[in-house]
Amino acid sequence: MGADAVRDEGDVDLRHHGDAEVGPGLLDFAVNVRAGTPPAWLAERVAASLAGLAAYPDPRPARAAVARRHGRDPGGVLLTAGAAEAFVLLARVLRPRRAVVVHPQFTEPEAALRAAGHPVERVLLAPPRFALDPAAVPADADLVMVGNPTNPTSVLHPAAALAALARPGRVLVVDEAFADCVPGEPESLAGRADVPGLVVVRSLTKTWGLAGLRAGYLLADPDLVARLAAAQPLWSVSTPALAATEACCEPRALAEADAWARRLAADRAALARDLTAAGLHVTPGAAASFLLVRAEAGERLRHRLRERGVAVRRGDTFPGLGPDWLRVAVRDRRTALRLTRTLAELRLGSPRGDAAPR
């Protein structure tokens, strides 16, 4: 199946995110932040930065570190208070005639565009593989937003397919919040300065457990970066977030992230096997820190899991998905087995079988 282009006026809650699914006493498979983070060395760097809170933040060292990490000119780097601020700035500064968001994907880019008053057209990728076909994007779209790897599908699109979306007069925004989940980041465009109109958005939230700190950045042509910076509030990125950004771009941190990505791949494969054995349909080709699954009576299953103390992310707030879709974060093997045991108990304990995966 291919992709469909549709104009939609907002039929789902774009501002619903995984943190709304968790609560006291629940085992968290809903939020896709790496567990057990930030590591001690990073927490120490952030804590040490607190001694400088009396001074206004100086973004220059962190910006230079990001530029070195991706082989870019520092003028093409904009530090942001998480990836979400980057999407808001793009929505405020750009004036697209035809904005297209490729779904299913993280919903904040579309929410930011709508909040800024821009009509949004959706290109819906088709299950089960959710493959990106550049030809499905309208040729006259002058703003295109896509994730890679994509949240919630976990699909990693080829860099060549993404680059094929670029053309003169178009801004191509690639959300790479989960790119460091992939060992070696082979499909990342973060180091590409030759793709016209390219904007790459990165986040430190997921791998380093910094959701509460709000740390991220944007890579683009220096002229666009200057326009975005002019719209950004002064000192938007705090001193602790700047310290974390600089630290996470150092060779030691990059090596640690790559090692984690390799462990993640093994844990993800094991969880995918277990969920398949439990009767769930797992989206193939997963590359990020979560899996997208489909279950018969999936909404009821999600509620039953919650009653048993397990939280997973509902899928029906992602355009292109429905209530039978669930996003499941990859956890360590011991924690993951608690989920699969609960699924097995629900399946065996259901008198008709319709409340459990089949």
Side-chain angles (χ1 to χ4, degrees), residues 179-339:
D180 50 5
C181 291
V182 185
E185 301 186 12
E187 309 303 336
S188 171
L189 296 181
R192 297 280 299 273
D194 62 321
V195 179
L198 176 66
V199 178
V200 174
V201 178
R202 302 282 295 226
S203 170
L204 302 179
T205 294
K206 317 303 179 185
T207 294
W208 299 111
L210 298 175
L213 197 60
R214 312 310 305 138
Y217 53 89
L218 175 153
L219 306 168
D221 179 84
D223 289 341
L224 178 55
V225 167
R227 292 169 57 198
L228 296 170
Q232 187 179 37
L234 288 174
W235 310 295
S236 173
V237 183
S238 70
T239 295
L242 293 172
T245 300
E246 185 177 2
C248 291
C249 288
E250 294 173 354
R252 163 188 174 177
L254 299 179
E256 181 175 322
D258 195 70
W260 167 72
R262 296 178 190 283
R263 295 193 300 272
L264 171 68
D267 289 338
R268 184 177 58 237
L271 179 59
R273 289 192 297 269
D274 289 348
L275 294 178
T276 299
L280 303 179
H281 302 276
V282 179
T283 299
S289 54
F290 48 86
L291 295 169
L292 180 66
V293 303
R294 183 172 56 82
E296 296 181 32
E299 185 174 15
R300 187 177 181 191
L301 173 62
R302 178 171 62 85
H303 289 299
R304 292 288 303 278
L305 284 169
R306 192 175 183 87
E307 292 170 358
R308 295 292 190 100
V310 178
V312 296
R313 169 63 156 96
R314 62 190 293 183
D316 60 347
T317 63
F318 291 102
L321 301 181
D324 286 344
W325 293 92
L326 306 170
R327 192 189 70 193
V328 182
V330 177
R331 301 301 186 208
D332 65 88
R333 191 74 183 120
R334 178 177 295 182
T335 304
L337 287 173
R338 294 173 62 183
L339 168 63

Side-chain angles (χ1 to χ4, degrees), residues 39-171:
W41 63 266
L42 180 54
E44 291 168 2
R45 290 282 290 272
V46 171
S49 75
L50 300 180
L53 290 186
Y56 285 99
D58 179 3
R60 289 174 296 181
R63 185 166 56 235
V66 171
R68 287 193 301 271
R69 186 251 187 275
H70 294 292
R72 305 288 293 252
D73 186 305
V77 176
L78 182 68
L79 306 176
T80 59
E85 187 191 25
F87 299 129
V88 169
L89 292 173
L90 288 163
R92 289 177 178 173
V93 169
L94 300 178
R95 295 291 182 267
R97 296 181 307 278
R98 191 175 188 184
V100 171
V101 179
V102 179
H103 281 291
Q105 78 146 330
F106 183 49
T107 53
E108 279 302 312
E110 179 173 332
L113 288 171
R114 291 187 182 278
H118 303 300
V120 177
E121 190 167 343
R122 297 172 179 168
V123 168
L124 302 179
L125 304 185
R129 295 191 174 276
F130 299 99
L132 175 64
D133 178 7
V137 176
D140 61 344
D142 57 346
L143 173 62
V144 177
M145 292 184 160
V146 61
N148 200 43
T150 302
N151 173 19
T153 65
S154 200
V155 170
L156 181 66
H157 303 301
L162 293 165
L165 289 171
R167 60 192 61 199
R170 171 183 288 177
V171 176

